[in-house]
mmCIF file of all heavy atoms in Angstrom:
data_model
loop_
_atom_site.group_PDB
_atom_site.id
_atom_site.type_symbol
_atom_site.label_atom_id
_atom_site.label_comp_id
_atom_site.label_asym_id
_atom_site.label_seq_id
_atom_site.Cartn_x
_atom_site.Cartn_y
_atom_site.Cartn_z
ATOM 1 N N LYS Z 16 -48.442 -3.256 -41.737
ATOM 2 C CA LYS Z 16 -49.452 -2.205 -41.588
ATOM 3 C C LYS Z 16 -49.471 -1.235 -42.774
ATOM 4 O O LYS Z 16 -50.505 -0.625 -43.067
ATOM 5 C CB LYS Z 16 -49.212 -1.436 -40.283
ATOM 6 C CG LYS Z 16 -50.347 -0.504 -39.908
ATOM 7 C CD LYS Z 16 -50.128 0.119 -38.543
ATOM 8 C CE LYS Z 16 -51.295 1.032 -38.169
ATOM 9 N NZ LYS Z 16 -51.092 1.656 -36.836
ATOM 10 N N LEU Z 17 -48.343 -1.079 -43.474
ATOM 11 C CA LEU Z 17 -48.283 -0.125 -44.583
ATOM 12 C C LEU Z 17 -48.360 -0.801 -45.954
ATOM 13 O O LEU Z 17 -48.008 -0.201 -46.963
ATOM 14 C CB LEU Z 17 -47.004 0.720 -44.492
ATOM 15 C CG LEU Z 17 -46.898 1.644 -43.279
ATOM 16 C CD1 LEU Z 17 -45.710 2.591 -43.430
ATOM 17 C CD2 LEU Z 17 -48.173 2.453 -43.057
ATOM 18 N N ASN Z 18 -48.840 -2.051 -45.991
ATOM 19 C CA ASN Z 18 -49.004 -2.720 -47.274
ATOM 20 C C ASN Z 18 -49.998 -1.997 -48.179
ATOM 21 O O ASN Z 18 -50.898 -1.291 -47.709
ATOM 22 C CB ASN Z 18 -49.480 -4.163 -47.063
ATOM 23 C CG ASN Z 18 -48.335 -5.121 -46.780
ATOM 24 O OD1 ASN Z 18 -47.177 -4.839 -47.087
ATOM 25 N ND2 ASN Z 18 -48.660 -6.255 -46.190
ATOM 26 N N HIS Z 19 -49.825 -2.228 -49.483
ATOM 27 C CA HIS Z 19 -50.683 -1.593 -50.481
ATOM 28 C C HIS Z 19 -52.145 -1.999 -50.299
ATOM 29 O O HIS Z 19 -52.454 -3.082 -49.800
ATOM 30 C CB HIS Z 19 -50.206 -1.996 -51.882
ATOM 31 C CG HIS Z 19 -50.862 -1.236 -52.981
ATOM 32 N ND1 HIS Z 19 -51.979 -1.695 -53.641
ATOM 33 C CD2 HIS Z 19 -50.558 -0.043 -53.539
ATOM 34 C CE1 HIS Z 19 -52.331 -0.818 -54.565
ATOM 35 N NE2 HIS Z 19 -51.488 0.192 -54.532
ATOM 36 N N ALA Z 20 -53.050 -1.125 -50.730
ATOM 37 C CA ALA Z 20 -54.497 -1.365 -50.599
ATOM 38 C C ALA Z 20 -54.936 -2.666 -51.252
ATOM 39 O O ALA Z 20 -55.879 -3.321 -50.788
ATOM 40 C CB ALA Z 20 -55.270 -0.195 -51.201
ATOM 41 N N SER Z 21 -54.274 -3.077 -52.332
ATOM 42 C CA SER Z 21 -54.654 -4.326 -52.999
ATOM 43 C C SER Z 21 -54.388 -5.530 -52.106
ATOM 44 O O SER Z 21 -55.130 -6.522 -52.153
ATOM 45 C CB SER Z 21 -53.899 -4.473 -54.319
ATOM 46 O OG SER Z 21 -52.494 -4.420 -54.116
ATOM 47 N N ILE Z 22 -53.339 -5.465 -51.297
ATOM 48 C CA ILE Z 22 -53.065 -6.531 -50.334
ATOM 49 C C ILE Z 22 -54.120 -6.504 -49.231
ATOM 50 O O ILE Z 22 -54.658 -7.550 -48.839
ATOM 51 C CB ILE Z 22 -51.649 -6.385 -49.739
ATOM 52 C CG1 ILE Z 22 -50.598 -6.602 -50.831
ATOM 53 C CG2 ILE Z 22 -51.433 -7.360 -48.577
ATOM 54 C CD1 ILE Z 22 -49.167 -6.363 -50.381
ATOM 55 N N VAL Z 23 -54.415 -5.330 -48.733
ATOM 56 C CA VAL Z 23 -55.436 -5.178 -47.692
ATOM 57 C C VAL Z 23 -56.756 -5.766 -48.167
ATOM 58 O O VAL Z 23 -57.420 -6.518 -47.435
ATOM 59 C CB VAL Z 23 -55.610 -3.690 -47.314
ATOM 60 C CG1 VAL Z 23 -56.772 -3.512 -46.338
ATOM 61 C CG2 VAL Z 23 -54.324 -3.136 -46.709
ATOM 62 N N ASP Z 24 -57.152 -5.455 -49.396
ATOM 63 C CA ASP Z 24 -58.427 -5.951 -49.922
ATOM 64 C C ASP Z 24 -58.386 -7.461 -50.151
ATOM 65 O O ASP Z 24 -59.398 -8.155 -49.966
ATOM 66 C CB ASP Z 24 -58.780 -5.225 -51.217
ATOM 67 C CG ASP Z 24 -59.181 -3.772 -50.969
ATOM 68 O OD1 ASP Z 24 -59.246 -3.369 -49.789
ATOM 69 O OD2 ASP Z 24 -59.419 -3.042 -51.944
ATOM 70 N N GLY Z 25 -57.236 -7.991 -50.533
ATOM 71 C CA GLY Z 25 -57.098 -9.432 -50.672
ATOM 72 C C GLY Z 25 -57.298 -10.152 -49.358
ATOM 73 O O GLY Z 25 -57.935 -11.215 -49.298
ATOM 74 N N VAL Z 26 -56.763 -9.567 -48.292
ATOM 75 C CA VAL Z 26 -56.942 -10.143 -46.955
ATOM 76 C C VAL Z 26 -58.418 -10.153 -46.583
ATOM 77 O O VAL Z 26 -58.950 -11.154 -46.085
ATOM 78 C CB VAL Z 26 -56.118 -9.363 -45.914
ATOM 79 C CG1 VAL Z 26 -56.401 -9.878 -44.510
ATOM 80 C CG2 VAL Z 26 -54.624 -9.466 -46.222
ATOM 81 N N ILE Z 27 -59.108 -9.056 -46.847
ATOM 82 C CA ILE Z 27 -60.544 -8.967 -46.528
ATOM 83 C C ILE Z 27 -61.335 -9.994 -47.324
ATOM 84 O O ILE Z 27 -62.192 -10.703 -46.782
ATOM 85 C CB ILE Z 27 -61.055 -7.540 -46.812
ATOM 86 C CG1 ILE Z 27 -60.418 -6.537 -45.844
ATOM 87 C CG2 ILE Z 27 -62.583 -7.485 -46.704
ATOM 88 C CD1 ILE Z 27 -60.665 -5.085 -46.206
ATOM 89 N N LEU Z 28 -61.043 -10.110 -48.610
ATOM 90 C CA LEU Z 28 -61.760 -11.064 -49.466
ATOM 91 C C LEU Z 28 -61.537 -12.513 -49.042
ATOM 92 O O LEU Z 28 -62.418 -13.356 -49.196
ATOM 93 C CB LEU Z 28 -61.315 -10.889 -50.922
ATOM 94 C CG LEU Z 28 -61.867 -9.680 -51.675
ATOM 95 C CD1 LEU Z 28 -61.148 -9.512 -53.002
ATOM 96 C CD2 LEU Z 28 -63.372 -9.838 -51.908
ATOM 97 N N SER Z 29 -60.362 -12.802 -48.500
ATOM 98 C CA SER Z 29 -60.041 -14.173 -48.105
ATOM 99 C C SER Z 29 -60.849 -14.640 -46.900
ATOM 100 O O SER Z 29 -61.015 -15.839 -46.691
ATOM 101 C CB SER Z 29 -58.555 -14.285 -47.771
ATOM 102 O OG SER Z 29 -58.270 -13.678 -46.516
ATOM 103 N N ARG Z 30 -61.311 -13.693 -46.080
ATOM 104 C CA ARG Z 30 -62.028 -13.966 -44.833
ATOM 105 C C ARG Z 30 -61.139 -14.657 -43.799
ATOM 106 O O ARG Z 30 -61.626 -15.217 -42.811
ATOM 107 C CB ARG Z 30 -63.290 -14.802 -45.085
ATOM 108 C CG ARG Z 30 -64.260 -14.141 -46.059
ATOM 109 C CD ARG Z 30 -65.483 -15.003 -46.310
ATOM 110 N NE ARG Z 30 -66.335 -14.402 -47.328
ATOM 111 C CZ ARG Z 30 -67.460 -14.936 -47.786
ATOM 112 N NH1 ARG Z 30 -67.862 -16.104 -47.312
ATOM 113 N NH2 ARG Z 30 -68.175 -14.335 -48.701
ATOM 114 N N ALA Z 31 -59.849 -14.609 -44.021
ATOM 115 C CA ALA Z 31 -58.905 -15.192 -43.057
ATOM 116 C C ALA Z 31 -58.774 -14.287 -41.839
ATOM 117 O O ALA Z 31 -59.175 -13.117 -41.862
ATOM 118 C CB ALA Z 31 -57.543 -15.376 -43.718
ATOM 119 N N HIS Z 32 -58.204 -14.812 -40.779
ATOM 120 C CA HIS Z 32 -57.906 -13.997 -39.602
ATOM 121 C C HIS Z 32 -56.772 -13.036 -39.956
ATOM 122 O O HIS Z 32 -55.713 -13.449 -40.425
ATOM 123 C CB HIS Z 32 -57.501 -14.890 -38.430
ATOM 124 C CG HIS Z 32 -58.566 -15.857 -38.023
ATOM 125 N ND1 HIS Z 32 -59.684 -15.475 -37.310
ATOM 126 C CD2 HIS Z 32 -58.698 -17.195 -38.256
ATOM 127 C CE1 HIS Z 32 -60.454 -16.535 -37.097
ATOM 128 N NE2 HIS Z 32 -59.880 -17.589 -37.669
ATOM 129 N N ASN Z 33 -57.014 -11.751 -39.728
ATOM 130 C CA ASN Z 33 -56.067 -10.717 -40.131
ATOM 131 C C ASN Z 33 -55.223 -10.270 -38.949
ATOM 132 O O ASN Z 33 -55.747 -9.747 -37.964
ATOM 133 C CB ASN Z 33 -56.842 -9.523 -40.708
ATOM 134 C CG ASN Z 33 -55.922 -8.440 -41.255
ATOM 135 O OD1 ASN Z 33 -54.715 -8.634 -41.360
ATOM 136 N ND2 ASN Z 33 -56.486 -7.306 -41.604
ATOM 137 N N ARG Z 34 -53.923 -10.479 -39.040
ATOM 138 C CA ARG Z 34 -52.999 -10.053 -37.990
ATOM 139 C C ARG Z 34 -52.055 -9.007 -38.589
ATOM 140 O O ARG Z 34 -51.066 -9.339 -39.233
ATOM 141 C CB ARG Z 34 -52.192 -11.235 -37.459
ATOM 142 C CG ARG Z 34 -53.046 -12.401 -36.956
ATOM 143 C CD ARG Z 34 -53.659 -12.096 -35.601
ATOM 144 N NE ARG Z 34 -54.342 -13.269 -35.080
ATOM 145 C CZ ARG Z 34 -55.649 -13.484 -35.168
ATOM 146 N NH1 ARG Z 34 -56.417 -12.576 -35.765
ATOM 147 N NH2 ARG Z 34 -56.194 -14.572 -34.667
ATOM 148 N N ARG Z 35 -52.371 -7.735 -38.412
ATOM 149 C CA ARG Z 35 -51.509 -6.665 -38.934
ATOM 150 C C ARG Z 35 -50.353 -6.428 -37.966
ATOM 151 O O ARG Z 35 -50.570 -6.243 -36.773
ATOM 152 C CB ARG Z 35 -52.300 -5.375 -39.114
ATOM 153 C CG ARG Z 35 -53.383 -5.466 -40.175
ATOM 154 C CD ARG Z 35 -54.201 -4.190 -40.214
ATOM 155 N NE ARG Z 35 -53.477 -3.100 -40.833
ATOM 156 C CZ ARG Z 35 -53.791 -1.819 -40.674
ATOM 157 N NH1 ARG Z 35 -54.779 -1.470 -39.869
ATOM 158 N NH2 ARG Z 35 -53.106 -0.881 -41.293
ATOM 159 N N TYR Z 36 -49.151 -6.443 -38.484
ATOM 160 C CA TYR Z 36 -48.007 -6.142 -37.621
ATOM 161 C C TYR Z 36 -47.477 -4.740 -37.918
ATOM 162 O O TYR Z 36 -47.608 -4.236 -39.032
ATOM 163 C CB TYR Z 36 -46.905 -7.197 -37.740
ATOM 164 C CG TYR Z 36 -46.265 -7.364 -39.111
ATOM 165 C CD1 TYR Z 36 -45.127 -6.647 -39.472
ATOM 166 C CD2 TYR Z 36 -46.789 -8.278 -40.035
ATOM 167 C CE1 TYR Z 36 -44.515 -6.823 -40.702
ATOM 168 C CE2 TYR Z 36 -46.189 -8.468 -41.270
ATOM 169 C CZ TYR Z 36 -45.049 -7.732 -41.604
ATOM 170 O OH TYR Z 36 -44.460 -7.901 -42.833
ATOM 171 N N ARG Z 37 -46.926 -4.113 -36.888
ATOM 172 C CA ARG Z 37 -46.408 -2.756 -37.030
ATOM 173 C C ARG Z 37 -45.365 -2.705 -38.141
ATOM 174 O O ARG Z 37 -44.597 -3.642 -38.329
ATOM 175 C CB ARG Z 37 -45.835 -2.255 -35.707
ATOM 176 C CG ARG Z 37 -46.905 -2.007 -34.639
ATOM 177 C CD ARG Z 37 -46.316 -1.357 -33.399
ATOM 178 N NE ARG Z 37 -45.442 -2.282 -32.668
ATOM 179 C CZ ARG Z 37 -45.844 -3.099 -31.701
ATOM 180 N NH1 ARG Z 37 -47.123 -3.116 -31.338
ATOM 181 N NH2 ARG Z 37 -44.981 -3.892 -31.089
ATOM 182 N N HIS Z 38 -45.330 -1.596 -38.839
ATOM 183 C CA HIS Z 38 -44.511 -1.478 -40.040
ATOM 184 C C HIS Z 38 -43.061 -1.871 -39.793
ATOM 185 O O HIS Z 38 -42.375 -1.288 -38.944
ATOM 186 C CB HIS Z 38 -44.578 -0.049 -40.575
ATOM 187 C CG HIS Z 38 -43.735 0.181 -41.791
ATOM 188 N ND1 HIS Z 38 -43.793 -0.631 -42.902
ATOM 189 C CD2 HIS Z 38 -42.795 1.126 -42.067
ATOM 190 C CE1 HIS Z 38 -42.937 -0.192 -43.809
ATOM 191 N NE2 HIS Z 38 -42.322 0.859 -43.328
ATOM 192 N N ASN Z 39 -42.634 -2.894 -40.536
ATOM 193 C CA ASN Z 39 -41.252 -3.385 -40.484
ATOM 194 C C ASN Z 39 -40.811 -3.799 -39.085
ATOM 195 O O ASN Z 39 -39.601 -3.832 -38.800
ATOM 196 C CB ASN Z 39 -40.281 -2.340 -41.047
ATOM 197 C CG ASN Z 39 -40.040 -2.522 -42.540
ATOM 198 O OD1 ASN Z 39 -40.263 -3.595 -43.092
ATOM 199 N ND2 ASN Z 39 -39.586 -1.466 -43.192
ATOM 200 N N ASP Z 40 -41.751 -4.114 -38.208
ATOM 201 C CA ASP Z 40 -41.435 -4.503 -36.835
ATOM 202 C C ASP Z 40 -41.482 -6.034 -36.734
ATOM 203 O O ASP Z 40 -42.536 -6.635 -36.499
ATOM 204 C CB ASP Z 40 -42.442 -3.869 -35.877
ATOM 205 C CG ASP Z 40 -42.075 -4.069 -34.404
ATOM 206 O OD1 ASP Z 40 -41.312 -5.011 -34.110
ATOM 207 O OD2 ASP Z 40 -42.566 -3.297 -33.561
ATOM 208 N N LEU Z 41 -40.321 -6.672 -36.907
ATOM 209 C CA LEU Z 41 -40.281 -8.129 -36.916
ATOM 210 C C LEU Z 41 -40.462 -8.723 -35.522
ATOM 211 O O LEU Z 41 -40.892 -9.875 -35.393
ATOM 212 C CB LEU Z 41 -38.965 -8.615 -37.536
ATOM 213 C CG LEU Z 41 -38.734 -8.208 -38.994
ATOM 214 C CD1 LEU Z 41 -37.587 -9.012 -39.587
ATOM 215 C CD2 LEU Z 41 -39.990 -8.387 -39.847
ATOM 216 N N ASN Z 42 -40.152 -7.974 -34.490
ATOM 217 C CA ASN Z 42 -40.426 -8.448 -33.127
ATOM 218 C C ASN Z 42 -41.930 -8.578 -32.905
ATOM 219 O O ASN Z 42 -42.400 -9.557 -32.299
ATOM 220 C CB ASN Z 42 -39.817 -7.498 -32.098
ATOM 221 C CG ASN Z 42 -38.304 -7.554 -32.094
ATOM 222 O OD1 ASN Z 42 -37.712 -8.607 -32.341
ATOM 223 N ND2 ASN Z 42 -37.663 -6.430 -31.812
ATOM 224 N N HIS Z 43 -42.683 -7.590 -33.379
ATOM 225 C CA HIS Z 43 -44.136 -7.646 -33.266
ATOM 226 C C HIS Z 43 -44.691 -8.801 -34.094
ATOM 227 O O HIS Z 43 -45.585 -9.549 -33.653
ATOM 228 C CB HIS Z 43 -44.753 -6.320 -33.717
ATOM 229 C CG HIS Z 43 -46.226 -6.242 -33.512
ATOM 230 N ND1 HIS Z 43 -47.069 -5.581 -34.365
ATOM 231 C CD2 HIS Z 43 -47.028 -6.775 -32.546
ATOM 232 C CE1 HIS Z 43 -48.321 -5.690 -33.935
ATOM 233 N NE2 HIS Z 43 -48.316 -6.406 -32.839
ATOM 234 N N LEU Z 44 -44.151 -8.982 -35.313
ATOM 235 C CA LEU Z 44 -44.591 -10.089 -36.160
ATOM 236 C C LEU Z 44 -44.339 -11.429 -35.474
ATOM 237 O O LEU Z 44 -45.218 -12.305 -35.456
ATOM 238 C CB LEU Z 44 -43.856 -10.040 -37.502
ATOM 239 C CG LEU Z 44 -44.073 -11.234 -38.438
ATOM 240 C CD1 LEU Z 44 -45.554 -11.435 -38.759
ATOM 241 C CD2 LEU Z 44 -43.267 -11.053 -39.721
#
């Protein structure tokens, strides 16, 4: 969830399904 904006924009550009996980929460991931 706290990744840099360039990563966020890369995800949007890819048009892939976006699954944001809570910051550093590996159980959620």
Side-chain angles (χ1 to χ4, degrees):
K16 191 174 181 180
L17 295 190
N18 276 340
H19 189 266
S21 57
I22 294 175
V23 174
D24 289 356
V26 175
I27 293 170
L28 284 170
S29 74
R30 302 179 185 178
H32 300 285
N33 185 9
R34 305 284 186 262
R35 295 175 74 199
Y36 62 92
R37 291 187 291 270
H38 178 51
N39 269 339
D40 188 338
L41 298 194
N42 291 327
H43 186 215
L44 173 57

